[in-house]
Amino acid sequence: MNFLAELQKITKDVLLKKEDMYVYAFDTSQNPEKLILPLAVVFPKNTQEVSKIANLCNKNNISIVPRAQGTNHCGGTRPVENCIIMHFSKMNKIINIDNDNLIAIVEPNVVIGDLNKELDKLNLFFPPDPSNLAVSTIGGAIALCAGGPRTFKYGNTKDYVINLEVVLADGTIIETSKNIAKNVTGYNLTSLFVGCEGTLGLITKATLKLIPKPQTRLLTMCYFDDLISATKCVNAIIKSGFIPSTLDLIDNFTIKTIEKFNPCGLLIDKEAMLLIELDGFEASVKYELEILKNILEKNDASSIIQAKNDIENENIWKARRSAFSALSQLKPNVITEDIVVPKSKIVDFVLKTQELSKKYNIITAIMGHAGDGNIHPNFALDLENETEKNNFKNLKDELFNFAISIGATLSGEHGIGKQKQKYLHKVLDKNAHILMKSIKNLLDSKDILNTGKSI
Ligand SMILES: Cc1cc2nc3c(=O)[nH]c(=O)nc-3n(C[C@H](O)[C@H](O)[C@H](O)COP(=O)(O)OP(=O)(O)OC[C@H]3O[C@@H](n4cnc5c(N)ncnc54)[C@H](O)[C@@H]3O)c2cc1C
């Protein structure tokens, strides 16, 4: 029996038509150099089906590209030659929320925003907050170790995963730990699978650590007349030992673009804004606010505005989260980069980005989780236009090489995928890279799991 017939014996939830394959040839990362169609798209309903499919693919040397919502920026869900797409959309149940032990057990395709809506009812909280949390999933976030504005205070996805059920390349099912908050019994296998971009195993269940929901949130929009003062202020806040829950930077171009497509009253004549959120008990937030105002005033803030209530607070965040789609209205393609620089070098990186944007005449919007040194320059361009395409290629090379020269790393939360592999050797320790390849070889000797992505 041929491979596709055997696949359909495991599940009938398989797409095979050519027109369907085109839909899954893309993800949020921009225009692939070469269009590759998968052989099939399969929708497993449970761990057993995932295991049987992995085993079948392994025997037949067929690659598996795991896919959740396909919103990654790194080409992580793009098909490769001779592959199937394993789409996890049918594994989307919240299995249990355990209020006493502060854990949630979920299937991989639970949407982060939906999980938090359920947790909210119990005054609980799962902090990792990628800007597209209304659609992005726990499985995708774990595979990429996603983060967001709140990473500054709360850490990113890796800090909230305590146990995983994973299907290995040959179909073996493993549990990496136990459903308890602390466990140093044996190696930390959970960490191995967080951020591995689906190259080491297929996540079929996750146990997540929860925390109590902060009682109060207070958002301050702090504006500056120049971008450099804003970045210097970030450093001043960090040096003062003060940890707000978010410390996000947005430049004037991004402010204007958000206001154009999703108006929410941001000050468009200001060169930069910091979105600073404080959270915790009401009394401590009030106290921290006084300290914060003092730092902001001393550091050339030209306007300090507080969100009036939770609704306004949420509207501002919604607008900030809409930045990518707002930029997408300007040009056919928007490419989001994800560089992490040492916090002391944020100014240098921002200046270099602006210089290269002018040199290569590419529309550039700068934002990022400045508290972590995680800057997202967004480039709006038309990749069908050869001049723009070449200019962008040169811009990216110069920017990445500059970033690496000041001690940056290639990704803080979006992953490597297909997009950044050419710079890996400049950043990874040579022996560590060899060890990573040995681990991949040990777990997936036929290289069928997300073949050609990440390391
Ligand atoms: C507008 C926008 C804003 C964004 N903002 C942020 C942000 O603030 N922070 C951030 O970190 N990211 C951000 N992202 C990037 C991305 O959406 C997130 O990283 C997200 O976590 C990916 O989720 P997804 O469900 O779409 O996963 P997908 O894109 O489908 O998959 C992501 C990776 O996980 C693998 N994978 C998926 N499911 C599994 C599984 N069950 N087992 C094994 N591997 C699996 C895939 O192969 C792929 O490599 C943003 C993207 C967009 C479009």
Side-chain angles (χ1 to χ4, degrees), residues 27-28 65-77 86 88 108-109 112 129-133 135-149 157 196-199 201-204 320-321 324-325 336 338 369 376 412-414 417 450 453:
D27 55 24
T28 307
V65 179
R67 183 174 175 117
Q69 307 279 56
T71 66
N72 68 90
H73 289 296
C74 63
T77 41
M86 183 176 281
F88 282 93
N109 242 68
I112 298 173
D129 59 338
S131 296
N132 63 339
L133 49 77
V135 293
S136 64
T137 66
I138 296 290
I142 293 175
L144 293 176
C145 193
T157 303
C196 81
E197 304 189 21
T199 61
L202 304 160
I203 300 158
T204 47
R320 153 69 182 88
R321 291 185 189 124
F324 181 81
S325 45
T336 300
D338 170 40
H369 317 308
H376 296 308
E413 48 188 34
H414 293 173
N450 224 357
K453 316 284 170 59

Side-chain angles (χ1 to χ4, degrees), residues 32 38 96 159 215 238 264 284 306 331 357 420 422 446:
N96 185 26
D159 301 302
Q215 192 189 61
I238 293 167
C264 63
S284 70
Q306 244 88 55
K331 286 271 185 175
S357 154
K420 294 183 183 172
K422 80 183 242 206
K446 291 190 171 177

Side-chain angles (χ1 to χ4, degrees), residues 160-360:
Y160 296 89
V161 183
I162 58 179
N163 189 15
L164 290 173
E165 181 184 79
V166 178
V167 172
L168 302 180
D170 64 356
T172 307
I173 302 166
I174 64 158
E175 220 188 326
T176 58
S177 181
K178 290 276 167 213
N179 293 341
I180 41 178
K182 289 177 89 176
N183 183 9
V184 288
T185 316
Y187 291 156
N188 188 350
L189 290 183
T190 311
S191 279
L192 188 61
F193 293 97
V194 178
C196 81
E197 304 189 21
T199 61
L200 299 180
L202 304 160
I203 300 158
T204 47
K205 208 192 297 175
T207 304
L208 307 171
K209 175 176 138 182
L210 309 173
I211 59 171
K213 191 183 144 196
Q215 192 189 61
T216 313
R217 291 165 64 197
L218 185 68
L219 180 64
T220 301
M221 288 148 283
C222 178
Y223 292 92
F224 294 84
D225 292 330
D226 65 290
L227 193 56
I228 303 309
S229 298
T231 54
K232 282 189 176 152
C233 186
V234 169
N235 290 327
I237 292 172
I238 293 167
K239 269 194 190 146
S240 71
F242 187 64
I243 308 224
S245 55
T246 74
L247 187 43
D248 260 34
L249 171 75
I250 302 181
D251 76 348
N252 172 265
F253 188 77
T254 313
I255 297 174
K256 283 202 290 216
T257 312
I258 291 174
E259 273 302 308
K260 189 165 172 195
F261 296 106
N262 196 357
C264 63
L266 303 182
L267 304 184
I268 54 172
D269 57 333
K270 299 292 181 183
E271 280 306 306
M273 171 171 76
L274 293 179
L275 273 179
I276 309 174
E277 192 169 282
L278 305 173
D279 68 2
F281 290 110
E282 209 171 321
S284 70
V285 166
K286 258 190 191 163
Y287 178 73
E288 287 180 5
L289 181 64
E290 289 314 307
I291 304 175
L292 176 66
K293 274 188 186 158
N294 197 8
I295 302 173
L296 296 178
E297 277 156 14
K298 276 194 191 142
N299 282 278
D300 304 325
S302 64
S303 187
I304 303 171
I305 300 172
Q306 244 88 55
K308 287 183 207 66
N309 48 40
D310 284 353
I311 297 170
E312 194 183 358
N313 184 340
E314 206 38 53
N315 282 343
I316 304 286
W317 278 117
K318 260 191 202 153
R320 153 69 182 88
R321 291 185 189 124
S322 75
F324 181 81
S325 45
L327 291 163
S328 305
Q329 320 244 4
L330 303 177
K331 286 271 185 175
N333 304 93
V334 176
I335 297 178
T336 300
E337 290 303 347
D338 170 40
I339 299 282
V340 190
V341 297
K343 288 166 197 171
S344 56
K345 304 280 184 189
I346 294 174
V347 175
D348 309 60
F349 181 72
V350 166
L351 284 177
K352 189 70 179 180
T353 309
Q354 288 181 327
E355 176 199 319
L356 294 175
S357 154
K358 277 198 196 106
K359 177 175 168 187
Y360 290 108

